[in-house]
């Protein structure tokens, strides 16, 4: 009796600190099953999953992922040549190419190829040594492929747990990270879409009315709108209001101060905001006092049981009038350590 072929293993990468949230998103998807625990390759979190038999999914279903790969093989640490031989197998490469074709990207006999490698440290061998060994292994299987940068194909080999490597054929491109062709109007220091998606994910599975009182370029508004939320935005900066309006024309956006919002009490199901911090954005008053006032206004306009999700560096108050801190998730934004803070509006 012939055994049924094993389902393709995929993995997705996201920003450090968001791996568990991406795994939650995958678990909630009706076509996907997460596998194992998230890993970390030194620059990104990795989450592994498989597609259910007969089911379909699109790459952009994974809003918390920056890239998605069809896994090729696995390897344990050793000399670069041995890692490459285990990570790049003929069967694994054929399976990954077949999967890529199902996503509308059929291979051709002659293509350009690039290898990207990441290692936890370079005590045993250098990352470039592994990359060269990977390219030799690929060339042995596909002699008509030619090295190039950029290239039509990318194979990544990542040490996501110490001594444990996984290789994968990249299915996504930069448009996945940028949500298509990117924002209509860009602004330096704009929030990465995957962080905005994580904040909206934490706002709850049942969309309602969401407010971003520091909307900037409108990234949170755009992510919330994509998931069915009725979105409203505001910003004290008139330039930001104009940019957010251009980027998210479906949203209602106006100029307003986050510490004095023009909305009735309990008028939103959730509030989500990237608070000003770091070198690019500063407030003109004492930061702690400003954050407390902003939290107070967010609590006022959120219904009891609703959530307030804020991105800001620690420390943040655990409890404030009307709000209780429920959870937090560390992330790194523009080189600064921050957290996504989730508060519950008390009833």
């Amino acid at each position: 009796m012939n055994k049924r072929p094993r389902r393709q293993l995929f993995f997705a990468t996201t920003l450090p600190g968001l791996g568990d949230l991406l795994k939650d998103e995958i678990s909630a998807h009706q076509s996907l099953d997460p596998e194992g625990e998230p890993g970390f390759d030194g620059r990104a979190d990795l989450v592994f999953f498989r597609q259910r038999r007969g089911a379909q999914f699109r790459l952009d279903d994974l809003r918390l992922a920056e890239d998605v790969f069809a896994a090729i093989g696995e390897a344990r640490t050793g000399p670069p040549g041995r890692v490459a031989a285990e990570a790049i197998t003929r069967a694994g490469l054929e399976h990954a190419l077949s999967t890529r074709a199902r996503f509308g990207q059929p291979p051709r006999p002659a293509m350009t190829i690039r290898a990207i490698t990441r290692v936890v440290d370079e005590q045993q061998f250098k990352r470039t040594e592994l990359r060269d060994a990977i390219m030799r292994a690929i060339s042995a299987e596909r002699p008509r492929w030619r090295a190039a940068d950029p290239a039509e194909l990318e194979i990544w080999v990542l040490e996501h747990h110490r001594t444990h490597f996984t290789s994968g054929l990249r299915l996504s491109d930069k448009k996945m990270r940028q949500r298509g062709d990117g924002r209509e109007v860009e602004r330096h220091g704009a929030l990465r879409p995957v962080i905005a998606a994580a904040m909206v994910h934490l706002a709850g599975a049942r969309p309602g009315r969401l407010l971003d009182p520091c909307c900037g370029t409108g990234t949170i508004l755009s992510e919330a709108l994509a998931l069915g939320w009725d979105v409203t935005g505001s910003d004290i900066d008139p330039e930001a209001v104009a940019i957010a309006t251009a980027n998210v024309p479906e949203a209602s956006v106006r100029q307003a101060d986050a510490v004095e919002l023009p909305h009735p009490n309990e008028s939103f199901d959730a509030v989500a905001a990237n608070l000003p911090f770091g070198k690019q954005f500063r407030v003109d008053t004492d930061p702690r006092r400003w954050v407390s006032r902003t939290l107070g206004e967010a609590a006022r306009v959120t219904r009891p049981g609703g959530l307030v999700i804020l991105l800001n560096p620690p420390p943040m108050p655990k409890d404030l009038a009307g709000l209780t801190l429920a959870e937090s998730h560390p992330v790194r934004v523009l080189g600064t350590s921050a957290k996504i803070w989730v508060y519950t509006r008390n009833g």
Side-chain angles (χ1 to χ4, degrees):
M1 180 180 293
N2 293 329
K3 292 183 178 180
R4 300 179 70 180
R6 186 166 173 78
R7 292 180 295 161
Q8 172 71 60
L9 177 68
F10 297 85
F11 64 89
T13 60
T14 189
L15 293 183
L18 300 184
D20 286 334
L21 296 180
L22 173 56
K23 184 178 179 181
D24 288 345
E25 182 185 40
I26 290 170
S27 297
H29 196 290
Q30 61 183 1
S31 300
L32 305 176
D33 293 317
E35 184 161 304
E37 293 302 315
F40 178 63
D41 68 6
R43 295 182 60 181
D45 283 357
L46 280 70
V47 179
F48 297 86
F49 63 96
R50 295 186 190 273
Q51 184 177 345
R52 295 177 184 172
R53 297 191 186 280
Q56 300 293 326
F57 81 100
R58 300 179 306 174
L59 300 183
D60 58 8
D61 288 345
L62 301 180
R63 308 296 293 188
L64 274 69
E66 290 211 315
D67 278 303
V68 179
F69 301 80
I72 297 172
E74 297 182 331
R76 293 290 182 178
T77 195
R82 191 174 76 191
V83 173
E86 294 178 2
I88 306 298
T89 65
R90 178 173 298 180
L93 188 57
E94 290 286 352
H95 200 181
L97 287 168
S98 175
T99 299
R100 185 175 183 271
R102 295 204 305 271
F103 282 88
Q105 304 174 78
R108 302 190 313 278
M111 300 186 73
T112 56
I113 180 72
R114 179 186 179 210
I116 295 171
T117 54
R118 293 178 184 169
V119 296
V120 173
D121 58 52
E122 295 190 329
Q123 293 182 0
Q124 295 199 41
F125 52 77
K126 294 185 180 298
R127 175 180 56 83
T128 52
E129 293 179 287
L130 177 59
R131 182 194 62 202
D132 293 343
I134 293 295
M135 288 300 295
R136 288 193 295 270
I138 294 170
S139 181
E141 296 296 337
R142 288 290 190 277
R144 296 183 61 184
W145 287 1
R146 179 175 56 84
D149 185 9
E152 298 167 277
L153 298 174
E154 287 187 359
I155 289 179
W156 293 32
V157 181
L158 310 175
E159 187 181 16
H160 54 90
H161 291 87
R162 187 171 292 278
T163 76
H164 196 161
F165 295 82
T166 292
S167 60
L169 179 65
R170 188 182 182 193
L171 303 177
S172 54
D173 58 23
K174 65 180 182 180
K175 288 186 176 182
M176 181 170 180
R177 297 183 181 186
Q178 298 170 352
R179 302 295 193 251
D181 294 322
R183 305 172 182 89
E184 184 71 22
V185 182
E186 279 291 355
R187 194 185 197 196
H188 187 66
L191 188 65
R192 295 267 285 265
V194 71
I195 297 181
M199 297 174 70
V200 175
H201 173 81
L202 289 166
R206 298 180 62 183
R209 297 194 67 211
L210 181 142
L211 169 69
D212 181 354
C214 303
C215 66
T217 59
T219 311
I220 292 174
L221 300 178
S222 179
E223 289 298 320
L225 191 69
L227 293 177
W229 289 82
D230 178 7
V231 296
T232 299
S234 59
D235 202 290
I236 197 170
D237 182 356
E239 180 186 21
V241 172
I243 292 174
T245 300
N247 287 336
V248 197
E250 305 90 338
S252 171
V253 184
R254 62 190 293 185
Q255 186 176 1
D257 194 335
V259 300
E260 194 173 349
L261 295 171
H263 304 294
N265 296 347
E266 303 179 5
S267 52
F268 294 94
D269 299 289
V271 171
N274 172 22
L275 300 185
F277 66 90
K279 296 180 180 179
Q280 298 300 324
F281 304 104
R282 296 183 183 275
V283 294
D284 295 329
T285 185
D286 176 69
R288 290 189 179 183
R289 182 171 180 270
W290 184 87
V291 168
S292 293
R293 292 181 64 191
T294 300
L295 277 168
E297 272 295 88
R300 180 184 67 79
V301 301
T302 303
R303 64 166 176 80
L307 297 174
V308 174
I309 301 97
L310 303 175
L311 177 66
N312 203 56
M316 288 279 279
K318 291 185 178 180
D319 298 293
L320 199 70
L323 294 175
T324 299
L325 181 62
E327 56 185 294
S328 64
H329 301 269
V331 293
R332 195 159 183 83
V333 184
L334 298 175
T336 301
S337 295
K339 284 188 177 184
I340 301 173
W341 308 86
V342 182
Y343 292 88
T344 301
R345 173 66 162 86
N346 302 328

